[in-house]
């Protein structure tokens, strides 16, 4: 495995781990996540909780697959991450296109509604995961220094953490409304 792949594994592991904890790590979080899926109108009402459970389980399985040191398992994890992220991008794009306002529960709670930034984020992440899968499938090339592999994994992990606060980072660059004073 090369250093790029270690970085991708770190990024996706941390990002999906934060997503799982955000959706299931506190009282009421899972119900809030499941409820956020209803306005997306992707699945019939009775199946929403099952789909929400499948999403959380899939994200958890990706985390596990990406931390295990077996190349075939890593490849499956990267392919699953690619599929999940691509589906998320399509579902969100559909919602944005219809004008549906749904609060992002990607990483737990958020005051921001799903929007173009979420579509772009998930599309880019799906692309990164897909390239990582292609690199793993191509076979071993470089990446034999354990210290460098650890550095690449940690750099990816930091990037994964930053991805989870993307909305906050984007809000830093939004114009501030003028305050009204008497």
């Amino acid at each position: 495995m090369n250093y790029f792949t270690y970085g991708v594994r770190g990024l996706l592991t941390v990002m999906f781990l934060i997503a799982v904890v955000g959706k299931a790590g506190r009282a009421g979080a899972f119900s809030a996540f499941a409820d956020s899926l209803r306005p997306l109108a992707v699945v019939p009402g009775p199946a929403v909780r099952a789909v929400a459970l499948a999403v959380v389980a899939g994200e958890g399985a990706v985390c596990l697959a990406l931390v295990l040191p077996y190349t075939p398992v890593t490849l499956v994890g990267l392919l699953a991450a690619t599929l999940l992220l691509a589906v998320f991008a399509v579902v969100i794009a559909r919602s944005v296109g219809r004008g549906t306002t749904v609060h992002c529960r990607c990483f737990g709670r958020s005051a921001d509604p799903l929007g173009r930034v979420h579509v772009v984020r998930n599309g880019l992440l799906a692309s990164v995961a897909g390239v990582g899968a292609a690199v793993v499938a191509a076979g071993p090339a470089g990446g034999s220094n354990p210290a460098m592999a650890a550095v690449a994994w940690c750099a990816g992990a930091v990037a994964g953490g930053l991805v989870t606060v993307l909305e906050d980072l984007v809000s830093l660059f939004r114009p501030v409304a003028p305050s009204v004073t008497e």
Side-chain angles (χ1 to χ4, degrees):
M1 229 173 281
N2 69 23
Y3 302 126
F4 171 77
T5 306
Y6 285 110
V8 170
R9 288 171 66 193
L11 180 149
L12 295 172
T13 299
V14 166
M15 186 198 69
F16 278 119
L17 182 61
I18 291 170
V20 168
V21 170
K23 291 173 185 140
R26 63 176 172 69
F30 180 77
S31 290
F33 170 62
D35 290 342
S36 75
L37 299 180
R38 291 183 197 289
L40 297 174
V42 176
V43 293
V48 167
R49 288 188 71 77
V51 168
L53 183 60
V55 167
V56 173
E59 291 174 339
V62 165
C63 290
L64 181 61
L66 294 179
V67 297
L68 293 175
Y70 306 108
T71 301
V73 176
T74 297
L75 179 58
V76 168
L78 289 168
L79 291 172
T82 304
L83 178 64
L84 277 171
L85 291 162
V87 167
F88 295 164
V90 168
V91 168
I92 295 168
R94 182 175 169 251
S95 171
V96 169
R98 287 191 340 245
T100 306
T101 302
V102 179
H103 287 288
C104 176
R105 300 281 184 216
C106 308
F107 303 108
R109 340 175 210 202
S110 175
D112 290 342
L114 291 172
R116 289 186 193 120
V117 71
H118 299 95
V119 175
V120 171
R121 177 194 66 201
N122 288 327
L124 289 173
L125 288 168
S127 299
V128 168
V131 170
V135 169
V136 169
S144 61
N145 181 334
M148 289 302 294
V151 167
W153 202 97
C154 290
V158 169
L162 290 173
V163 165
T164 67
V165 294
L166 181 63
E167 293 169 10
D168 298 326
L169 295 173
V170 168
S171 72
L172 292 173
F173 299 99
R174 287 189 186 127
V176 177
S179 63
V180 178
T181 58
E182 290 188 69

